[in-house]
Amino acid sequence: MSESTIVHLLRHGEVHNPEGVLYGRRDGYHLSDLGRQMAQRVADTIGERDITHLRSSPLERAQETAAPVAAALGLTPLIDPRVIESANVFEGKRFGIGDNALRKPSTWVHLWNPWKPSWGEPYKEVTARMLAAVYDARDAARGHEAVIVSHQLPIWITRLAVEKRSFLHDPRKRQCTLCSLTSLHFTDDELTRVVYSEPAGDLIPVRDRRAPFSAGDAPEAKRP
């Protein structure tokens, strides 16, 4: 008989970032009060599911999102560096109104190739490491469900890859909001469908529902 397994890719909650820094892989960026509320909402939503395996990006915001999920399920998260945020040359730059790093001509040299992309970790490398973690989680939770807490860009690029879509996209149109679940359904080893849901969707501020960039992006991913 075939086995059905689900691997949920959970994006972390809102981060406290009043200066509008593209924080990327930097330490010291934690969930906001709202972000913790979002994480608890997810835990309350999936706490009764047949989830037997939990892993998380090593970054604080991901581990803090995983914590209430772990408590609800009685699991200890496995820290997996393969599901970390994507590397980015703009990390540490500010992109707030009136202080946008993309206005500086010195940054434009990084924007010449949106297909790779030229400003950060190649999408193919992101996909390879994320899928390796997904398959390990699938194997660890055979016949049950698993959760991987990661970040918007790695989750979205993984979805594009498994749905055989182009990596070239507008970051503002990603279907991957804060604390959303991108659920990969497997029958044995075969991926059979992808289901998207937003357990904390009603908590997301309107300003963030179409954010122009995430911590793994060059804003809007456009050439100057």
Side-chain angles (χ1 to χ4, degrees):
M1 295 181 63
S2 59
E3 286 185 314
S4 296
T5 307
I6 304 174
V7 179
H8 304 280
L9 302 181
L10 169 60
R11 185 186 172 191
H12 63 79
E14 184 188 71
V15 175
H16 180 66
N17 182 23
E19 295 183 347
V21 172
L22 198 152
Y23 38 78
R25 295 180 174 181
R26 293 191 166 203
D27 294 330
Y29 285 89
H30 299 269
L31 293 185
S32 65
D33 290 342
L34 179 58
R36 288 190 288 273
Q37 185 180 353
M38 291 175 174
Q40 187 60 55
R41 171 70 66 80
V42 174
D44 293 342
T45 301
I46 67 175
E48 299 298 321
R49 296 188 67 98
D50 183 25
I51 296 169
T52 61
H53 182 77
L54 173 64
R55 62 181 65 204
S56 171
S57 159
L59 297 176
E60 291 105 322
R61 58 192 184 272
Q63 293 193 57
E64 290 165 1
T65 301
V69 176
L73 297 168
L75 297 174
T76 299
L78 172 68
I79 304 304
D80 191 336
R82 296 176 297 182
V83 301
I84 198 170
E85 178 63 276
S86 302
N88 192 307
V89 298
F90 293 107
E91 185 175 302
K93 304 293 184 181
R94 295 181 62 182
F95 291 93
I97 297 174
D99 189 21
N100 194 321
L102 288 188
R103 294 180 179 180
K104 301 176 181 179
S106 60
T107 67
W108 297 349
V109 67
H110 300 295
L111 302 177
W112 65 274
N113 185 355
W115 284 269
K116 187 177 180 179
S118 52
W119 56 82
E121 183 180 7
Y123 291 145
K124 289 183 178 180
E125 293 181 11
V126 176
T127 300
R129 62 177 172 82
M130 285 290 292
L131 284 177
V134 166
Y135 296 148
D136 283 351
R138 176 200 62 194
D139 293 343
R142 286 277 181 183
H144 305 279
E145 301 179 34
V147 173
I148 299 176
V149 186
S150 186
H151 308 268
Q152 187 192 64
L153 179 61
I155 292 173
W156 181 247
I157 290 299
T158 300
R159 180 174 174 182
L160 292 180
V162 299
E163 293 183 338
K164 303 186 186 307
R165 290 195 273 164
S166 171
F167 288 143
L168 186 63
H169 67 280
D170 183 341
R172 296 168 297 183
K173 297 181 180 179
R174 289 176 186 157
Q175 192 180 37
C176 190
T177 59
L178 294 164
C179 271
S180 61
L181 290 166
T182 299
S183 303
L184 309 179
H185 291 244
F186 291 90
T187 299
D188 294 329
D189 290 343
E190 182 182 359
L191 178 67
T192 53
R193 63 180 177 137
V194 178
V195 177
Y196 176 79
S197 60
E198 298 182 357
D202 62 303
L203 299 177
I204 300 172
V206 174
R207 69 177 185 277
D208 293 332
R209 295 197 67 87
R210 296 190 64 184
F213 65 95
S214 76
D217 292 318
E220 301 188 31
K222 293 181 179 179
R223 299 183 187 186

